[in-house]
Amino acid sequence: MNPGSAGRTELPDSLKASFRSVSMMVPDLDLIIEILLLREGFEDAKVLSRKVAALYNLAKEQLAKKSHYDWGLRAITSVARSAGALKRADLFLPEDQQYCLLVAILTCFVAGCAGCDICAASVNGAEAYDQ
């Protein structure tokens, strides 16, 4: 059912004939992140979502390919929830939404990174986030 995934096998041809083919498309990551951030109360969600999407795409492309790295929606949702919790805790001024999100990204991002990738991520991520 899910070709290429670990532990999955192909369906036999006799069973495949019973199912229709379905085409899938890549989700709009910017829009999904924007909605997640709006849900957490960020007013600058449109600008911030572009920065987060750029950062995660850069991480997916440039950091080492490790099986425990997750650059998908699950990781982005964790960052959005963490940023929302920080925002609700009133640790940041309302105009510091960008820094609140950055702290959440660093907290979630660095926790799962290997040592060699932390330096690369900090240099490349700072450039992507400052755009």
Short mmCIF file of all heavy atoms in Angstrom, two decimals, residues 25-67:
data_model
loop_
_atom_site.label_atom_id
_atom_site.label_comp_id
_atom_site.label_asym_id
_atom_site.label_seq_id
_atom_site.Cartn_x
_atom_site.Cartn_y
_atom_site.Cartn_z
N MET A 25 -0.69 15.12 -4.28
CA MET A 25 0.15 16.28 -4.54
C MET A 25 0.80 16.74 -3.26
O MET A 25 0.35 16.40 -2.16
CB MET A 25 -0.66 17.41 -5.17
CG MET A 25 -1.84 17.87 -4.38
SD MET A 25 -2.80 19.05 -5.30
CE MET A 25 -2.42 20.53 -4.44
N VAL A 26 1.86 17.50 -3.38
CA VAL A 26 2.59 17.99 -2.23
C VAL A 26 1.76 19.10 -1.57
O VAL A 26 1.27 20.00 -2.24
CB VAL A 26 3.97 18.55 -2.67
CG1 VAL A 26 4.72 19.11 -1.49
CG2 VAL A 26 4.77 17.46 -3.35
N PRO A 27 1.58 19.02 -0.24
CA PRO A 27 0.79 20.05 0.43
C PRO A 27 1.51 21.40 0.43
O PRO A 27 2.73 21.47 0.37
CB PRO A 27 0.63 19.52 1.85
CG PRO A 27 1.74 18.56 2.03
CD PRO A 27 2.06 18.00 0.68
N ASP A 28 0.73 22.47 0.49
CA ASP A 28 1.28 23.82 0.54
C ASP A 28 1.76 24.09 1.97
O ASP A 28 0.98 24.45 2.85
CB ASP A 28 0.21 24.83 0.12
CG ASP A 28 0.76 26.25 0.04
OD1 ASP A 28 1.97 26.45 0.27
OD2 ASP A 28 -0.04 27.16 -0.25
N LEU A 29 3.06 23.90 2.18
CA LEU A 29 3.63 24.00 3.51
C LEU A 29 3.49 25.40 4.09
O LEU A 29 3.20 25.54 5.29
CB LEU A 29 5.11 23.59 3.45
CG LEU A 29 5.76 23.18 4.74
CD1 LEU A 29 5.04 22.02 5.38
CD2 LEU A 29 7.21 22.81 4.50
N ASP A 30 3.66 26.43 3.28
CA ASP A 30 3.53 27.80 3.77
C ASP A 30 2.13 28.05 4.36
O ASP A 30 2.00 28.63 5.44
CB ASP A 30 3.77 28.82 2.65
CG ASP A 30 5.23 28.90 2.24
OD1 ASP A 30 6.08 28.30 2.93
OD2 ASP A 30 5.52 29.58 1.25
N LEU A 31 1.12 27.60 3.66
CA LEU A 31 -0.26 27.82 4.11
C LEU A 31 -0.55 27.03 5.38
O LEU A 31 -1.19 27.54 6.31
CB LEU A 31 -1.24 27.43 3.00
CG LEU A 31 -2.72 27.65 3.31
CD1 LEU A 31 -3.01 29.12 3.58
CD2 LEU A 31 -3.56 27.15 2.16
N ILE A 32 -0.08 25.80 5.44
CA ILE A 32 -0.31 24.97 6.64
C ILE A 32 0.36 25.59 7.85
O ILE A 32 -0.23 25.69 8.93
CB ILE A 32 0.19 23.54 6.40
CG1 ILE A 32 -0.68 22.86 5.33
CG2 ILE A 32 0.18 22.73 7.68
CD1 ILE A 32 -0.15 21.54 4.85
N ILE A 33 1.61 26.04 7.69
CA ILE A 33 2.32 26.67 8.81
C ILE A 33 1.64 27.97 9.21
O ILE A 33 1.51 28.27 10.40
CB ILE A 33 3.81 26.91 8.45
CG1 ILE A 33 4.51 25.58 8.20
CG2 ILE A 33 4.52 27.69 9.54
CD1 ILE A 33 5.89 25.71 7.61
N GLU A 34 1.19 28.74 8.23
CA GLU A 34 0.48 29.99 8.53
C GLU A 34 -0.76 29.72 9.38
O GLU A 34 -1.00 30.41 10.38
CB GLU A 34 0.09 30.68 7.24
CG GLU A 34 -0.63 31.99 7.45
CD GLU A 34 -1.04 32.66 6.15
OE1 GLU A 34 -0.62 32.21 5.07
OE2 GLU A 34 -1.81 33.63 6.25
N ILE A 35 -1.52 28.71 9.04
CA ILE A 35 -2.72 28.38 9.80
C ILE A 35 -2.36 27.89 11.20
O ILE A 35 -3.01 28.26 12.18
CB ILE A 35 -3.56 27.34 9.03
CG1 ILE A 35 -4.14 27.98 7.78
CG2 ILE A 35 -4.67 26.76 9.90
CD1 ILE A 35 -4.75 27.02 6.81
N LEU A 36 -1.31 27.08 11.31
CA LEU A 36 -0.87 26.63 12.63
C LEU A 36 -0.47 27.80 13.52
O LEU A 36 -0.79 27.84 14.71
CB LEU A 36 0.31 25.66 12.50
CG LEU A 36 0.01 24.26 11.96
CD1 LEU A 36 1.30 23.51 11.70
CD2 LEU A 36 -0.87 23.50 12.91
N LEU A 37 0.25 28.77 12.94
CA LEU A 37 0.69 29.93 13.72
C LEU A 37 -0.48 30.85 14.06
O LEU A 37 -0.53 31.41 15.16
CB LEU A 37 1.78 30.69 12.96
CG LEU A 37 3.11 29.95 12.81
CD1 LEU A 37 4.08 30.76 11.97
CD2 LEU A 37 3.71 29.64 14.17
N LEU A 38 -1.41 31.01 13.13
CA LEU A 38 -2.60 31.81 13.43
C LEU A 38 -3.40 31.18 14.57
O LEU A 38 -3.92 31.88 15.44
CB LEU A 38 -3.49 31.95 12.19
CG LEU A 38 -3.02 32.95 11.15
CD1 LEU A 38 -3.85 32.82 9.87
CD2 LEU A 38 -3.10 34.37 11.69
N ARG A 39 -3.48 29.86 14.56
CA ARG A 39 -4.18 29.15 15.63
C ARG A 39 -3.54 29.40 16.99
O ARG A 39 -4.22 29.43 18.01
CB ARG A 39 -4.18 27.66 15.31
CG ARG A 39 -4.96 26.82 16.30
CD ARG A 39 -4.84 25.37 16.00
NE ARG A 39 -3.50 24.93 16.32
CZ ARG A 39 -3.04 23.72 16.09
NH1 ARG A 39 -3.80 22.84 15.49
NH2 ARG A 39 -1.82 23.38 16.43
N GLU A 40 -2.23 29.60 16.99
CA GLU A 40 -1.52 29.84 18.25
C GLU A 40 -1.48 31.32 18.62
O GLU A 40 -0.90 31.68 19.64
CB GLU A 40 -0.09 29.29 18.16
CG GLU A 40 -0.02 27.79 18.00
CD GLU A 40 -0.56 27.01 19.19
OE1 GLU A 40 -0.67 27.57 20.29
OE2 GLU A 40 -0.89 25.83 19.00
N GLY A 41 -2.05 32.19 17.79
CA GLY A 41 -2.17 33.59 18.15
C GLY A 41 -1.12 34.52 17.57
O GLY A 41 -0.97 35.65 18.04
N PHE A 42 -0.38 34.09 16.56
CA PHE A 42 0.64 34.93 15.95
C PHE A 42 0.01 35.81 14.87
O PHE A 42 -0.60 35.30 13.93
CB PHE A 42 1.75 34.07 15.33
CG PHE A 42 2.65 33.44 16.35
CD1 PHE A 42 2.32 32.26 16.96
CD2 PHE A 42 3.83 34.06 16.70
CE1 PHE A 42 3.14 31.68 17.90
CE2 PHE A 42 4.68 33.50 17.65
CZ PHE A 42 4.32 32.31 18.25
N GLU A 43 0.15 37.13 15.01
CA GLU A 43 -0.43 38.05 14.04
C GLU A 43 0.37 38.10 12.74
O GLU A 43 -0.17 38.31 11.67
CB GLU A 43 -0.55 39.47 14.61
CG GLU A 43 -1.62 39.63 15.66
CD GLU A 43 -1.09 39.42 17.07
OE1 GLU A 43 0.14 39.54 17.27
OE2 GLU A 43 -1.88 39.10 17.96
N ASP A 44 1.69 37.94 12.83
CA ASP A 44 2.56 37.98 11.64
C ASP A 44 2.75 36.59 11.04
O ASP A 44 3.83 36.24 10.56
CB ASP A 44 3.94 38.54 12.02
CG ASP A 44 3.86 39.98 12.49
OD1 ASP A 44 2.89 40.65 12.12
OD2 ASP A 44 4.78 40.42 13.20
N ALA A 45 1.71 35.79 11.04
CA ALA A 45 1.82 34.39 10.64
C ALA A 45 2.25 34.21 9.19
O ALA A 45 2.99 33.28 8.88
CB ALA A 45 0.50 33.67 10.89
N LYS A 46 1.82 35.09 8.31
CA LYS A 46 2.16 34.94 6.89
C LYS A 46 3.67 35.07 6.67
O LYS A 46 4.29 34.24 6.00
CB LYS A 46 1.42 35.97 6.05
CG LYS A 46 1.55 35.75 4.56
CD LYS A 46 0.61 36.69 3.82
CE LYS A 46 -0.07 36.08 2.66
NZ LYS A 46 -0.79 34.87 2.78
N VAL A 47 4.27 36.08 7.25
CA VAL A 47 5.72 36.30 7.12
C VAL A 47 6.49 35.20 7.83
O VAL A 47 7.46 34.64 7.29
CB VAL A 47 6.10 37.69 7.68
CG1 VAL A 47 7.59 37.89 7.68
CG2 VAL A 47 5.41 38.79 6.90
N LEU A 48 6.06 34.87 9.04
CA LEU A 48 6.76 33.87 9.83
C LEU A 48 6.66 32.48 9.19
O LEU A 48 7.61 31.69 9.26
CB LEU A 48 6.22 33.84 11.25
CG LEU A 48 6.46 35.10 12.08
CD1 LEU A 48 5.74 35.00 13.41
CD2 LEU A 48 7.95 35.33 12.30
N SER A 49 5.53 32.18 8.56
CA SER A 49 5.37 30.86 7.95
C SER A 49 6.34 30.67 6.79
O SER A 49 6.87 29.57 6.60
CB SER A 49 3.93 30.67 7.47
OG SER A 49 3.63 31.51 6.40
N ARG A 50 6.59 31.72 6.03
CA ARG A 50 7.57 31.62 4.93
C ARG A 50 8.96 31.34 5.47
O ARG A 50 9.73 30.57 4.89
CB ARG A 50 7.56 32.89 4.09
CG ARG A 50 6.43 32.90 3.09
CD ARG A 50 6.54 34.04 2.11
NE ARG A 50 5.42 34.94 2.40
CZ ARG A 50 5.54 36.22 2.72
NH1 ARG A 50 6.70 36.79 2.76
NH2 ARG A 50 4.47 36.94 2.98
N LYS A 51 9.28 31.97 6.59
CA LYS A 51 10.61 31.77 7.18
C LYS A 51 10.77 30.35 7.72
O LYS A 51 11.81 29.72 7.53
CB LYS A 51 10.84 32.78 8.30
CG LYS A 51 10.98 34.20 7.79
CD LYS A 51 11.25 35.16 8.91
CE LYS A 51 11.41 36.57 8.38
NZ LYS A 51 11.89 37.49 9.41
N VAL A 52 9.74 29.85 8.39
CA VAL A 52 9.82 28.49 8.94
C VAL A 52 9.89 27.46 7.81
O VAL A 52 10.67 26.52 7.88
CB VAL A 52 8.61 28.22 9.87
CG1 VAL A 52 8.58 26.76 10.31
CG2 VAL A 52 8.66 29.13 11.08
N ALA A 53 9.08 27.65 6.78
CA ALA A 53 9.11 26.72 5.64
C ALA A 53 10.47 26.73 4.97
O ALA A 53 11.01 25.66 4.62
CB ALA A 53 8.02 27.08 4.64
N ALA A 54 11.06 27.90 4.79
CA ALA A 54 12.39 27.99 4.19
C ALA A 54 13.43 27.29 5.05
O ALA A 54 14.31 26.57 4.55
CB ALA A 54 12.78 29.45 3.97
N LEU A 55 13.33 27.47 6.36
CA LEU A 55 14.27 26.86 7.28
C LEU A 55 14.18 25.33 7.24
O LEU A 55 15.20 24.63 7.15
CB LEU A 55 14.03 27.36 8.70
CG LEU A 55 14.94 26.80 9.78
CD1 LEU A 55 16.35 27.33 9.58
CD2 LEU A 55 14.43 27.18 11.15
N TYR A 56 12.97 24.81 7.27
CA TYR A 56 12.81 23.35 7.26
C TYR A 56 13.17 22.74 5.91
O TYR A 56 13.72 21.65 5.85
CB TYR A 56 11.40 22.97 7.70
CG TYR A 56 11.33 22.78 9.19
CD1 TYR A 56 11.29 23.88 10.05
CD2 TYR A 56 11.38 21.53 9.76
CE1 TYR A 56 11.27 23.73 11.42
CE2 TYR A 56 11.36 21.36 11.14
CZ TYR A 56 11.30 22.46 11.95
OH TYR A 56 11.30 22.28 13.31
N ASN A 57 12.88 23.43 4.81
CA ASN A 57 13.30 22.94 3.50
C ASN A 57 14.82 22.93 3.39
O ASN A 57 15.41 22.00 2.84
CB ASN A 57 12.70 23.78 2.38
CG ASN A 57 11.24 23.48 2.19
OD1 ASN A 57 10.78 22.39 2.47
ND2 ASN A 57 10.49 24.47 1.72
N LEU A 58 15.46 23.96 3.92
CA LEU A 58 16.92 24.03 3.91
C LEU A 58 17.52 22.90 4.75
O LEU A 58 18.49 22.26 4.35
CB LEU A 58 17.37 25.39 4.43
CG LEU A 58 18.82 25.78 4.25
CD1 LEU A 58 19.14 25.90 2.77
CD2 LEU A 58 19.10 27.10 4.94
N ALA A 59 16.93 22.66 5.91
CA ALA A 59 17.42 21.58 6.77
C ALA A 59 17.27 20.23 6.08
O ALA A 59 18.17 19.38 6.14
CB ALA A 59 16.66 21.58 8.09
N LYS A 60 16.15 20.01 5.42
CA LYS A 60 15.90 18.74 4.73
C LYS A 60 16.92 18.53 3.61
O LYS A 60 17.40 17.42 3.39
CB LYS A 60 14.49 18.74 4.15
CG LYS A 60 14.07 17.42 3.55
CD LYS A 60 12.73 17.49 2.85
CE LYS A 60 11.65 18.02 3.72
NZ LYS A 60 10.32 17.99 3.08
N GLU A 61 17.28 19.61 2.93
CA GLU A 61 18.21 19.49 1.80
C GLU A 61 19.66 19.38 2.23
O GLU A 61 20.43 18.63 1.65
CB GLU A 61 18.06 20.71 0.89
CG GLU A 61 16.75 20.79 0.16
CD GLU A 61 16.55 22.14 -0.51
OE1 GLU A 61 17.48 22.98 -0.49
OE2 GLU A 61 15.46 22.36 -1.06
N GLN A 62 20.07 20.15 3.25
CA GLN A 62 21.50 20.30 3.51
C GLN A 62 22.04 19.49 4.68
O GLN A 62 23.23 19.24 4.72
CB GLN A 62 21.83 21.78 3.72
CG GLN A 62 21.64 22.58 2.45
CD GLN A 62 22.19 23.98 2.57
OE1 GLN A 62 22.57 24.42 3.65
NE2 GLN A 62 22.22 24.68 1.47
N LEU A 63 21.20 19.12 5.63
CA LEU A 63 21.73 18.37 6.77
C LEU A 63 21.86 16.91 6.42
O LEU A 63 21.29 16.43 5.44
CB LEU A 63 20.85 18.57 8.00
CG LEU A 63 20.77 20.01 8.52
CD1 LEU A 63 19.95 20.06 9.79
CD2 LEU A 63 22.14 20.60 8.76
N ALA A 64 22.61 16.18 7.24
CA ALA A 64 22.85 14.77 6.99
C ALA A 64 21.54 14.00 6.93
O ALA A 64 20.58 14.35 7.62
CB ALA A 64 23.75 14.20 8.08
N LYS A 65 21.50 12.98 6.10
CA LYS A 65 20.30 12.15 5.96
C LYS A 65 20.31 11.10 7.06
O LYS A 65 20.91 10.05 6.93
CB LYS A 65 20.26 11.48 4.58
CG LYS A 65 20.43 12.43 3.42
CD LYS A 65 19.25 13.37 3.29
CE LYS A 65 19.39 14.21 2.05
NZ LYS A 65 19.27 15.61 2.26
N LYS A 66 19.65 11.39 8.16
CA LYS A 66 19.56 10.46 9.29
C LYS A 66 18.13 9.98 9.41
O LYS A 66 17.18 10.72 9.16
CB LYS A 66 19.98 11.15 10.58
CG LYS A 66 21.34 11.80 10.52
CD LYS A 66 22.28 11.09 11.40
CE LYS A 66 23.59 11.85 11.35
NZ LYS A 66 24.65 11.20 11.92
N SER A 67 17.96 8.74 9.83
CA SER A 67 16.61 8.17 9.91
C SER A 67 15.77 8.82 11.00
O SER A 67 14.55 8.84 10.90
CB SER A 67 16.70 6.67 10.16
OG SER A 67 17.36 6.41 11.38
#
